[in-house]
Amino acid sequence: MRMKFSATTEQRWLNLLKVMVIVVALFVSVGPLIYGFLLSIRPLSSVLNTPLDVIPSLDEVDFGSYPTALRDESDGGFGMARFMRNSFGVAAATVVLAIGSSVLGAYAAVRLQFFGRRAVNAMFLAVYLFPGIVLAVPLFVMMSRIGLTGSLFGLMLIYMAQTVPVALYMLRNYFAAVPESVEEAAMIDGCGRMKTITKIVIPMALPGIAATSLYVFMIAWNEYLFALLFLVQDRERWTAALGISQLTEFSVPATVLMAGSIAITVPVVVGFFAAQRLLISGLTSGAEKG
Amino acid sequence: MTVSPGRVARRRGGVMTQSRREDLQGRAMVSPTVLVVFAMVMLPFLAVVAFGFLNIRLVDIPRVSLFDLEFTLDNFRTVLSSPSFWTALRITVIYAALTTLGAIAAGMAMALALRHPFRGRGLIRALVLVPYVLPVVAAATIWKTLLNSQYGLVNAFGMKFLGWDAPIGFLSTTTREFAGIPVPVSLFTVIAFEVWKTAPLAFLFITARMQVIPGDLEEAASIDGASIVQRFRYIVLPQLRGVVVLLVLLRFIWSFQSFNDIYLLTGGAGGTQVMAVRVYDELITRANIGTAAAYGLAMTVILTGLLTMYVRLNRKAGIG
């Protein structure tokens, strides 16, 4: 640092403080996840008898909790693999629905002047901030009335409506980064609006669209409240998040619960870190102006 | 859209102006999203308003018809006169305020500590985001295990090294005296969880804003002999004001409606029954749609009030 020649006591204290903040932040952020993983590979008896020996000895390591958690109930397991398949299906369908409709909406919000644009933007902001639990009341009533209780389809529509605002917001930022001059050139060359979008804008913003898709996927994958409301009575269709939370109600061994928790975490953590840079720029680009 | 609108306009000899065309295209493009949001958010919201003024229970739903509905203020009377509403409101406000403060303070501390580049900073920045990315159910399950009174690490550690005589029921203790001071243990535990889970987002927002602070001001100040603390206080902090205000608003609104975290950790036990958990209880456990809707509407009114205040303040300050 350029302050080298005036290294004061103040700076030394601040550096110490900085190191402490980093160490504590790392310990607190990653610690629980590592703890969960370490529990998942220990035998249950050792977890119950010696809770302080967090790090298992090598001969003690036992990955047996994973197959137990993942296998179907008919196979003596807890069905987590099936729950994860359900979650994957719902989340993938949500991505298709939400991104498919948001791409057009976000483009219009960035490039086109149209009547009601401000009102539409305000509506999406309102949805973004509106308490989901309040909507749970009528949606639950509606589902129980038209008999969609237990239906993954209703869940997808709700997830779509819940993720569209944030998808629009992120996509808008990525589209705004596509230079307008490129688009104008394409239109002068005779491309219509739709063709400009499919041939120029979407390819140029593709990494951003991918990142947004991933974020929507994560939201749908992690969602708990609506899955609980609609699917709780239908064990076949439980999502991964619902499955784990329901299993804690039964006397499922802690090691199996940890294995299940780690199993549902791995896909989102891997996905997030793969697309980290893009995701972060999309999520925070409003903040820079603030 | 089979015929390109551009061509139509030309054929009609410029009857359709550029702006008219944009107007139509824009509206067509947002309509699918608007439609879904209308069906899944706006209509349900209107339904909550209606339910709030109706006396219906879940068992009535299959038989109820639009014609024999009677509008009443009973739900609001019941809810507003019950002490548990005011308790829930108080708990929710405390929860939202403390999680907002905690998340922003922790996010700010991390953003400052990781501001200047050093080897390994990228990795650390990525790792501190883990709590934000974790599925809330997995995070809550791990925390519940950590805090378990029989085999959880925290209680085992406390009893062995900190001299606790008995395990602390972190998730089921309304208050407990520590050194003569009553502490709402479970409420603080769920607050800690939410701070842990949301501080990374505050960190991201503050970091993004810090990166665009022009470096020359600070450089000039440091040449003039301003200390690091002074530079933070008089140069960096004012620049962060906007993003911090935005975070206060967003975090408060989101924490105020928080359901998952609390419901998963305590189920509302140990004095953690916030408004959102009350709505769920009224709806599912008591199967009373009317009072559930009344609770929900009360939440909506409070949040709308906050948002309006924010917009007004912004206008006054000449930002918005």
Side-chain angles (χ1 to χ4, degrees), chain B residues 175-245:
Chain B
T175 48
R176 187 180 154 139
E177 299 233 334
F178 287 98
I181 306 157
V183 175
V185 177
S186 294
L187 185 60
F188 280 179
T189 308
V190 291
I191 288 171
F193 181 82
E194 177 92 345
V195 167
W196 174 76
K197 192 108 186 52
T198 57
L201 192 74
F203 160 71
L204 281 181
F205 271 61
I206 294 170
T207 299
R209 185 61 186 81
M210 267 183 188
Q211 279 165 346
V212 294
I213 296 179
D216 41 1
L217 261 178
E218 272 181 276
E219 214 165 309
S222 91
I223 289 167
D224 287 347
S227 72
I228 301 174
V229 173
Q230 282 171 331
R231 272 167 11 216
F232 173 71
R233 171 75 188 76
Y234 294 105
I235 297 173
V236 179
L237 205 55
Q239 295 262 352
L240 296 179
R241 194 177 158 269
V243 75
V244 168
V245 171

Coordinates of all heavy atoms in Angstrom, one line a residue, chain B residues 175-245:
Chain B
T175 N -37.2 -16.6 27.8 CA -36.2 -15.8 28.4 C -35.5 -16.6 29.4 O -35.9 -17.6 30.0 CB -36.9 -14.6 29.2 OG1 -37.9 -15.1 30.0 CG2 -37.4 -13.5 28.3
R176 N -34.2 -16.1 29.6 CA -33.4 -16.8 30.6 C -32.5 -15.7 31.2 O -32.1 -14.8 30.5 CB -32.6 -17.9 29.9 CG -31.8 -18.7 30.9 CD -31.0 -19.8 30.1 NE -29.9 -20.2 30.9 CZ -29.4 -21.4 31.0 NH1 -30.0 -22.4 30.4 NH2 -28.4 -21.7 31.8
E177 N -32.2 -15.8 32.5 CA -31.4 -14.8 33.1 C -29.9 -15.1 32.9 O -29.5 -16.3 33.1 CB -31.7 -14.8 34.6 CG -33.1 -14.4 34.9 CD -33.2 -13.2 35.8 OE1 -32.3 -13.0 36.6 OE2 -34.3 -12.5 35.8
F178 N -29.2 -14.2 32.4 CA -27.7 -14.3 32.4 C -27.2 -13.2 33.2 O -27.4 -12.0 32.9 CB -27.2 -14.2 30.9 CG -27.5 -15.5 30.2 CD1 -28.6 -15.5 29.3 CD2 -26.7 -16.6 30.3 CE1 -28.9 -16.7 28.6 CE2 -27.0 -17.7 29.5 CZ -28.1 -17.8 28.7
A179 N -26.5 -13.5 34.3 CA -25.9 -12.5 35.2 C -27.0 -11.5 35.6 O -26.8 -10.3 35.6 CB -24.8 -11.8 34.5
G180 N -28.2 -12.0 35.9 CA -29.3 -11.1 36.4 C -30.1 -10.4 35.3 O -31.0 -9.8 35.6
I181 N -29.6 -10.5 34.0 CA -30.3 -9.8 33.0 C -31.2 -10.8 32.2 O -30.6 -11.8 31.7 CB -29.3 -9.1 32.0 CG1 -28.4 -8.2 32.8 CG2 -30.1 -8.4 30.9 CD1 -27.1 -8.0 32.1
P182 N -32.5 -10.6 32.0 CA -33.3 -11.6 31.3 C -33.0 -11.4 29.8 O -33.0 -10.3 29.2 CB -34.7 -11.1 31.6 CG -34.6 -9.7 32.1 CD -33.3 -9.5 32.6
V183 N -32.7 -12.5 29.1 CA -32.3 -12.5 27.7 C -33.3 -13.4 26.9 O -33.5 -14.5 27.3 CB -30.9 -13.1 27.5 CG1 -30.6 -13.1 26.0 CG2 -29.9 -12.2 28.2
P184 N -33.9 -12.8 25.9 CA -34.8 -13.6 25.0 C -34.0 -14.5 24.1 O -33.7 -14.2 23.0 CB -35.6 -12.6 24.2 CG -34.7 -11.4 24.2 CD -33.8 -11.4 25.4
V185 N -33.7 -15.7 24.7 CA -32.7 -16.6 24.0 C -33.1 -17.0 22.6 O -32.3 -16.8 21.6 CB -32.5 -17.9 24.9 CG1 -31.5 -18.8 24.2 CG2 -31.9 -17.5 26.2
S186 N -34.3 -17.5 22.4 CA -34.7 -18.0 21.1 C -34.8 -16.9 20.1 O -34.5 -17.0 19.0 CB -36.0 -18.7 21.2 OG -35.8 -19.9 22.0
L187 N -35.4 -15.7 20.6 CA -35.5 -14.6 19.6 C -34.1 -14.2 19.1 O -33.9 -14.0 17.9 CB -36.2 -13.4 20.3 CG -36.5 -12.2 19.4 CD1 -37.4 -12.6 18.3 CD2 -37.1 -11.1 20.2
F188 N -33.2 -14.1 20.1 CA -31.8 -13.8 19.6 C -31.2 -14.8 18.7 O -30.4 -14.5 17.8 CB -30.9 -13.5 20.9 CG -31.1 -12.2 21.5 CD1 -30.4 -11.8 22.6 CD2 -32.0 -11.3 21.0 CE1 -30.6 -10.6 23.2 CE2 -32.2 -10.0 21.5 CZ -31.5 -9.7 22.7
T189 N -31.6 -16.1 18.9 CA -31.0 -17.1 18.1 C -31.6 -17.0 16.6 O -30.8 -17.0 15.7 CB -31.4 -18.5 18.6 OG1 -31.0 -18.6 20.0 CG2 -30.7 -19.6 17.8
V190 N -32.9 -16.7 16.5 CA -33.4 -16.6 15.1 C -32.9 -15.3 14.5 O -32.7 -15.3 13.3 CB -34.9 -16.7 15.1 CG1 -35.4 -18.1 15.4 CG2 -35.6 -15.7 16.0
I191 N -32.6 -14.3 15.3 CA -32.1 -13.1 14.8 C -30.6 -13.3 14.3 O -30.3 -12.9 13.2 CB -32.1 -11.9 15.8 CG1 -33.5 -11.4 16.0 CG2 -31.2 -10.8 15.4 CD1 -33.7 -10.5 17.2
A192 N -29.9 -14.1 15.1 CA -28.5 -14.4 14.7 C -28.5 -15.2 13.4 O -27.7 -15.0 12.5 CB -27.8 -15.2 15.7
F193 N -29.5 -16.1 13.2 CA -29.6 -16.9 12.0 C -29.8 -16.0 10.8 O -29.2 -16.1 9.8 CB -30.7 -17.9 12.2 CG -30.8 -18.8 11.0 CD1 -30.0 -19.9 10.8 CD2 -31.8 -18.6 10.0 CE1 -30.2 -20.8 9.7 CE2 -32.0 -19.4 8.9 CZ -31.1 -20.5 8.7
E194 N -30.8 -15.1 11.0 CA -31.1 -14.2 9.8 C -30.0 -13.3 9.5 O -29.7 -13.0 8.3 CB -32.4 -13.5 10.2 CG -32.9 -12.5 9.1 CD -33.8 -13.1 8.1 OE1 -34.0 -14.3 8.0 OE2 -34.5 -12.3 7.3
V195 N -29.3 -12.8 10.5 CA -28.2 -11.9 10.2 C -27.1 -12.7 9.4 O -26.6 -12.3 8.4 CB -27.6 -11.4 11.5 CG1 -26.2 -10.7 11.3 CG2 -28.5 -10.4 12.2
W196 N -26.9 -13.9 9.9 CA -25.9 -14.8 9.3 C -26.2 -15.0 7.8 O -25.4 -15.0 6.9 CB -25.8 -16.1 10.0 CG -25.0 -17.2 9.5 CD1 -23.6 -17.3 9.6 CD2 -25.5 -18.4 8.8 NE1 -23.2 -18.5 9.0 CE2 -24.3 -19.1 8.5 CE3 -26.7 -18.9 8.4 CZ2 -24.4 -20.4 7.8 CZ3 -26.8 -20.1 7.8 CH2 -25.7 -20.8 7.5
K197 N -27.5 -15.2 7.6 CA -28.0 -15.6 6.2 C -28.0 -14.4 5.3 O -27.9 -14.5 4.1 CB -29.4 -16.2 6.4 CG -30.0 -16.9 5.2 CD -30.0 -18.4 5.4 CE -30.4 -19.1 4.1 NZ -29.7 -18.8 2.9
T198 N -28.3 -13.2 5.8 CA -28.5 -12.0 4.9 C -27.3 -11.1 4.9 O -27.3 -10.2 4.0 CB -29.7 -11.3 5.3 OG1 -29.6 -10.8 6.7 CG2 -31.0 -12.1 5.2
A199 N -26.4 -11.2 5.8 CA -25.2 -10.2 5.8 C -24.5 -10.3 4.5 O -24.0 -9.3 4.0 CB -24.3 -10.5 7.0
P200 N -24.3 -11.5 3.8 CA -23.6 -11.5 2.5 C -24.2 -10.6 1.5 O -23.5 -10.0 0.7 CB -23.7 -13.0 2.1 CG -23.8 -13.7 3.4 CD -24.6 -12.8 4.3
L201 N -25.5 -10.5 1.5 CA -26.1 -9.6 0.5 C -25.8 -8.1 0.7 O -25.4 -7.4 -0.2 CB -27.7 -9.8 0.5 CG -28.3 -9.1 -0.8 CD1 -28.1 -9.9 -2.0 CD2 -29.8 -8.9 -0.5
A202 N -25.8 -7.7 2.0 CA -25.4 -6.4 2.4 C -23.9 -6.2 2.0 O -23.6 -5.1 1.4 CB -25.6 -6.2 3.9
F203 N -23.1 -7.2 2.3 CA -21.7 -7.1 1.9 C -21.6 -6.9 0.4 O -20.8 -6.0 -0.1 CB -21.0 -8.5 2.3 CG -19.7 -8.8 1.6 CD1 -18.6 -8.0 1.8 CD2 -19.7 -9.8 0.7 CE1 -17.4 -8.3 1.2 CE2 -18.5 -10.1 0.0 CZ -17.4 -9.3 0.3
L204 N -22.3 -7.6 -0.4 CA -22.2 -7.5 -1.9 C -22.6 -6.1 -2.3 O -22.0 -5.5 -3.2 CB -23.2 -8.5 -2.6 CG -22.7 -9.9 -2.7 CD1 -23.7 -10.8 -3.4 CD2 -21.4 -10.0 -3.4
F205 N -23.7 -5.6 -1.8 CA -24.2 -4.3 -2.2 C -23.2 -3.2 -1.8 O -22.9 -2.3 -2.6 CB -25.6 -4.0 -1.5 CG -26.7 -4.4 -2.3 CD1 -26.9 -5.8 -2.6 CD2 -27.7 -3.5 -2.8 CE1 -28.0 -6.2 -3.4 CE2 -28.8 -3.9 -3.6 CZ -28.9 -5.3 -3.8
I206 N -22.7 -3.3 -0.6 CA -21.8 -2.2 -0.1 C -20.5 -2.3 -0.9 O -19.9 -1.3 -1.3 CB -21.5 -2.4 1.4 CG1 -22.8 -2.1 2.2 CG2 -20.4 -1.4 1.9 CD1 -22.8 -2.4 3.6
T207 N -20.0 -3.5 -1.2 CA -18.8 -3.7 -2.0 C -19.0 -3.1 -3.4 O -18.1 -2.4 -3.9 CB -18.4 -5.2 -2.1 OG1 -18.2 -5.7 -0.8 CG2 -17.2 -5.4 -2.9
A208 N -20.1 -3.4 -4.0 CA -20.3 -2.8 -5.3 C -20.3 -1.3 -5.3 O -19.7 -0.7 -6.2 CB -21.7 -3.3 -5.9
R209 N -20.8 -0.7 -4.3 CA -20.8 0.8 -4.2 C -19.5 1.3 -3.9 O -19.0 2.3 -4.5 CB -21.8 1.2 -3.2 CG -22.0 2.7 -3.1 CD -22.6 3.3 -4.4 NE -22.6 4.7 -4.3 CZ -21.6 5.5 -4.6 NH1 -20.4 5.0 -4.8 NH2 -21.7 6.8 -4.6
M210 N -18.7 0.6 -3.1 CA -17.4 1.0 -2.7 C -16.4 1.0 -3.9 O -15.6 1.9 -4.1 CB -16.8 0.1 -1.7 CG -17.0 0.5 -0.3 SD -16.1 -0.7 0.8 CE -16.7 -0.1 2.4
Q211 N -16.7 0.1 -4.9 CA -15.8 0.0 -6.0 C -15.9 1.2 -6.9 O -15.0 1.5 -7.7 CB -16.1 -1.3 -6.8 CG -15.4 -2.5 -6.1 CD -16.0 -3.8 -6.7 OE1 -17.0 -3.8 -7.3 NE2 -15.3 -4.9 -6.4
V212 N -17.0 1.9 -6.9 CA -17.1 3.1 -7.8 C -16.8 4.4 -7.0 O -17.0 5.5 -7.6 CB -18.5 3.1 -8.5 CG1 -18.6 2.0 -9.4 CG2 -19.6 3.2 -7.5
I213 N -16.3 4.3 -5.8 CA -15.9 5.6 -5.1 C -14.6 6.0 -5.8 O -13.7 5.3 -5.8 CB -15.7 5.4 -3.6 CG1 -17.0 5.0 -2.9 CG2 -15.1 6.6 -3.0 CD1 -16.8 4.7 -1.5
P214 N -14.6 7.3 -6.3 CA -13.3 7.7 -6.9 C -12.2 7.7 -5.9 O -12.3 8.2 -4.8 CB -13.7 9.1 -7.4 CG -14.9 9.5 -6.8 CD -15.6 8.3 -6.3
G215 N -11.0 7.2 -6.4 CA -9.9 7.1 -5.5 C -9.2 8.4 -5.2 O -8.5 8.5 -4.1
D216 N -9.3 9.4 -6.0 CA -8.5 10.6 -5.9 C -8.8 11.4 -4.6 O -7.9 12.0 -4.0 CB -8.6 11.5 -7.1 CG -10.0 11.6 -7.7 OD1 -10.9 11.0 -7.0 OD2 -10.2 12.3 -8.7
L217 N -10.1 11.4 -4.2 CA -10.5 12.1 -3.0 C -9.7 11.6 -1.8 O -9.1 12.4 -1.0 CB -12.0 12.0 -2.7 CG -12.9 13.1 -3.2 CD1 -14.3 12.8 -2.9 CD2 -12.5 14.4 -2.5
E218 N -9.8 10.3 -1.7 CA -9.1 9.7 -0.5 C -7.6 9.9 -0.6 O -7.0 10.1 0.5 CB -9.4 8.2 -0.5 CG -10.6 7.8 0.2 CD -10.8 6.3 0.2 OE1 -11.4 5.8 -0.8 OE2 -10.4 5.7 1.2
E219 N -7.1 9.9 -1.8 CA -5.6 10.1 -1.9 C -5.2 11.5 -1.5 O -4.3 11.7 -0.7 CB -5.3 9.9 -3.4 CG -3.9 9.2 -3.6 CD -3.8 8.8 -5.0 OE1 -4.7 8.0 -5.5 OE2 -2.8 9.1 -5.7
A220 N -6.1 12.4 -1.9 CA -5.8 13.8 -1.6 C -5.9 14.0 0.0 O -5.0 14.6 0.6 CB -6.8 14.7 -2.2
A221 N -6.9 13.4 0.5 CA -7.1 13.5 2.0 C -5.9 12.9 2.7 O -5.4 13.4 3.7 CB -8.4 12.8 2.4
S222 N -5.4 11.7 2.2 CA -4.3 11.1 2.9 C -3.0 11.9 2.8 O -2.2 11.9 3.7 CB -4.1 9.6 2.4 OG -3.2 9.6 1.4
I223 N -2.9 12.6 1.7 CA -1.7 13.5 1.5 C -1.8 14.6 2.5 O -0.8 15.0 3.1 CB -1.6 14.0 0.1 CG1 -1.2 12.8 -0.8 CG2 -0.6 15.1 0.0 CD1 -1.3 13.1 -2.3
D224 N -3.0 15.1 2.7 CA -3.3 16.2 3.7 C -3.2 15.7 5.1 O -3.5 16.5 6.0 CB -4.6 16.8 3.4 CG -4.6 17.7 2.2 OD1 -3.5 17.9 1.7 OD2 -5.7 18.0 1.7
G225 N -2.9 14.4 5.3 CA -2.7 13.9 6.7 C -3.9 13.4 7.3 O -3.9 13.2 8.5
A226 N -5.0 13.1 6.6 CA -6.2 12.5 7.2 C -5.9 11.1 7.6 O -5.3 10.4 6.8 CB -7.4 12.6 6.3
S227 N -6.3 10.7 8.8 CA -6.1 9.3 9.2 C -7.1 8.4 8.5 O -8.0 8.8 7.8 CB -6.2 9.2 10.7 OG -7.6 9.3 11.0
I228 N -6.8 7.1 8.6 CA -7.7 6.1 7.9 C -9.1 6.2 8.4 O -10.1 6.2 7.7 CB -7.2 4.7 8.2 CG1 -5.8 4.5 7.6 CG2 -8.1 3.6 7.5 CD1 -5.1 3.2 7.9
V229 N -9.3 6.4 9.8 CA -10.6 6.5 10.3 C -11.3 7.8 9.8 O -12.5 7.8 9.5 CB -10.5 6.5 11.9 CG1 -11.9 6.8 12.5 CG2 -10.0 5.1 12.4
Q230 N -10.5 8.9 9.8 CA -11.1 10.1 9.3 C -11.5 10.0 7.8 O -12.6 10.5 7.5 CB -10.0 11.2 9.4 CG -9.9 11.8 10.8 CD -8.7 12.8 10.9 OE1 -7.7 12.6 10.2 NE2 -8.9 13.7 11.8
R231 N -10.7 9.3 7.0 CA -11.0 9.2 5.6 C -12.3 8.4 5.5 O -13.2 8.6 4.6 CB -9.9 8.5 4.9 CG -8.9 9.5 4.4 CD -7.6 9.0 3.9 NE -7.4 7.6 3.7 CZ -6.3 7.0 4.0 NH1 -5.3 7.6 4.5 NH2 -6.2 5.7 3.8
F232 N -12.4 7.3 6.3 CA -13.7 6.5 6.3 C -14.9 7.4 6.7 O -15.9 7.4 6.0 CB -13.5 5.3 7.2 CG -14.8 4.5 7.3 CD1 -15.3 3.8 6.3 CD2 -15.6 4.6 8.5 CE1 -16.5 3.1 6.4 CE2 -16.8 3.9 8.6 CZ -17.2 3.2 7.5
R233 N -14.7 8.1 7.8 CA -15.8 8.9 8.3 C -16.3 10.0 7.4 O -17.4 10.2 7.2 CB -15.3 9.4 9.7 CG -16.3 10.4 10.4 CD -17.4 9.8 11.0 NE -18.4 10.8 11.4 CZ -19.2 11.5 10.7 NH1 -19.2 11.3 9.4 NH2 -20.1 12.4 11.2
Y234 N -15.3 10.7 6.8 CA -15.7 11.9 6.0 C -15.7 11.7 4.5 O -16.3 12.5 3.8 CB -14.7 13.0 6.4 CG -14.9 13.5 7.8 CD1 -13.9 13.1 8.7 CD2 -16.0 14.1 8.2 CE1 -14.1 13.5 10.1 CE2 -16.2 14.5 9.5 CZ -15.3 14.2 10.5 OH -15.4 14.5 11.8
I235 N -15.1 10.6 4.0 CA -15.1 10.4 2.5 C -15.9 9.2 2.1 O -16.8 9.2 1.3 CB -13.7 10.4 2.0 CG1 -13.0 11.7 2.2 CG2 -13.7 10.1 0.5 CD1 -11.6 11.7 1.9
V236 N -15.6 8.0 2.7 CA -16.2 6.8 2.3 C -17.7 6.7 2.8 O -18.6 6.4 2.0 CB -15.4 5.6 2.8 CG1 -16.1 4.3 2.3 CG2 -14.0 5.6 2.2
L237 N -17.9 6.9 4.0 CA -19.2 6.8 4.6 C -20.3 7.6 3.9 O -21.3 7.1 3.6 CB -19.2 7.0 6.1 CG -20.2 6.3 7.0 CD1 -20.2 4.8 6.7 CD2 -20.1 6.6 8.4
P238 N -20.0 8.9 3.7 CA -21.0 9.7 3.0 C -21.4 9.1 1.6 O -22.6 9.2 1.2 CB -20.4 11.1 2.8 CG -19.4 11.1 3.9 CD -18.9 9.7 4.1
Q239 N -20.4 8.5 1.0 CA -20.7 7.9 -0.4 C -21.6 6.7 -0.2 O -22.2 6.3 -1.2 CB -19.3 7.5 -1.0 CG -18.4 8.7 -1.3 CD -18.6 9.1 -2.8 OE1 -19.2 8.5 -3.6 NE2 -17.9 10.2 -3.1
L240 N -21.5 6.1 0.9 CA -22.2 4.8 1.1 C -23.7 5.1 1.6 O -24.4 4.1 1.7 CB -21.5 3.9 2.0 CG -20.2 3.4 1.6 CD1 -19.6 2.5 2.7 CD2 -20.3 2.6 0.3
R241 N -24.0 6.3 1.9 CA -25.2 6.6 2.5 C -26.4 6.1 1.7 O -27.3 5.4 2.3 CB -25.4 8.2 2.7 CG -26.5 8.5 3.6 CD -26.6 10.0 3.8 NE -27.9 10.3 4.3 CZ -28.9 10.6 3.4 NH1 -28.7 10.6 2.2 NH2 -30.1 10.9 3.9
G242 N -26.4 6.3 0.4 CA -27.5 5.9 -0.4 C -27.7 4.4 -0.4 O -28.8 3.9 -0.1
V243 N -26.6 3.6 -0.5 CA -26.8 2.2 -0.5 C -27.2 1.6 0.8 O -28.0 0.7 0.9 CB -25.5 1.5 -1.1 CG1 -24.4 1.5 -0.1 CG2 -25.8 0.1 -1.5
V244 N -26.7 2.3 1.9 CA -27.1 1.8 3.2 C -28.6 2.1 3.5 O -29.3 1.2 4.0 CB -26.2 2.5 4.3 CG1 -26.8 2.2 5.7 CG2 -24.8 1.9 4.2
V245 N -29.1 3.3 3.1 CA -30.5 3.6 3.2 C -31.3 2.5 2.5 O -32.3 2.0 3.0 CB -30.8 5.0 2.8 CG1 -32.3 5.2 2.7 CG2 -30.2 6.0 3.7

